[in-house]
Amino acid sequence: MLRSAILRRVTRLSMVLPVAMTLSGVTLVSFSPARAALPLGSTAPLFEAPASLGGKQFGFSLAEALHKGPVVLYFYPAAFTRGCTIEAHDFADAMDQFKALGATVIGISMDKIETLDRFSVSECRSRFPVASDPAGKIASSYDSKMPLLHYASRTSYVIAPDGHILYAYSAMAPDGHISGTLAALRAWKTATTPTHP
């Protein structure tokens, strides 16, 4: 399949520099200046985690979310820190665009769920949920845990409904995470929307 061939070629390239490949309107991008992220085309590890939306706790399941459409999964170091607050505000401001593309957004940190209850209201503005990964198991499974530190790295993924990773971006600055995930979703939507003669 053409998509598989593209993904194989992209994952062979260095994960140190930005990689972009466009073919038939589909752009696959991976950028990881500090560390590797899961390879494009690989299967996203399924997980369940306690989450909070608007201060209300619930159980988030990646498998259930993928039944509804693509998922933007982003890891961030810690609630209420400067960069994580900026990123949460930016995701909240862009939620109408994510919803228009049929995407679910979920943020994950190693914070306690009680901290995320507050963060989901004040910084996420009750627009999208954040999940708690206190032991770092989910972050580790996504190659998004900082070595020797009890924090997740700032890494964003777009996961297709079939569970494959379409996009990965890892950079400690919050800039680029929202625009990159939106661009990847738009490319996916264009590639999967049937054209009529």
Side-chain angles (χ1 to χ4, degrees):
M1 176 180 227
L2 185 59
R3 190 190 92 168
S4 298
I6 293 170
L7 291 172
R8 280 194 302 275
R9 288 181 63 195
V10 170
T11 55
R12 283 187 205 127
L13 297 172
S14 169
M15 294 295 285
V16 177
L17 297 173
V19 175
M21 183 173 284
T22 304
L23 186 60
S24 302
V26 179
T27 301
L28 304 171
V29 179
S30 180
F31 179 51
S32 182
R35 52 187 279 100
L38 293 180
L40 301 180
S42 63
T43 301
L46 295 177
F47 66 88
E48 294 181 358
S52 185
L53 175 61
K56 296 184 179 171
Q57 294 180 21
F58 69 99
F60 178 85
S61 163
L62 179 60
E64 288 178 16
L66 289 171
H67 283 303
K68 300 173 189 171
V71 172
V72 174
L73 170 63
Y74 84 93
F75 293 89
Y76 61 98
F80 298 108
T81 57
R82 184 177 182 275
C84 298
T85 293
I86 290 169
E87 187 175 30
H89 288 175
D90 290 347
F91 268 110
D93 290 345
M95 278 311 298
D96 289 342
Q97 294 175 69
F98 285 110
K99 287 180 182 176
L101 292 164
T104 297
V105 173
I106 180 83
I108 298 183
S109 70
M110 294 172 67
D111 294 298
K112 294 179 181 177
I113 191 66
E114 294 79 15
T115 301
L116 297 181
D117 285 340
R118 297 190 319 273
F119 189 69
S120 72
V121 173
S122 63
E123 309 312 324
C124 303
R125 300 173 178 158
S126 302
R127 301 288 318 269
F128 66 93
V130 282
S132 176
D133 179 27
K137 290 180 181 178
I138 302 167
S140 292
S141 72
Y142 278 84
D143 198 18
S144 298
K145 186 176 179 301
M146 291 187 193
L148 307 176
L149 297 174
H150 192 71
Y151 296 106
S153 64
R154 194 176 315 282
T155 304
S156 299
Y157 290 98
V158 175
I159 306 168
D162 67 1
H164 289 92
I165 293 173
L166 295 174
Y167 174 87
Y169 179 82
S170 186
M172 286 309 287
D175 305 336
H177 288 268
I178 286 77
S179 60
T181 53
L182 282 169
L185 284 167
R186 289 184 186 114
W188 171 82
K189 187 93 169 174
T190 299
T192 58
T193 301
T195 56
H196 299 288

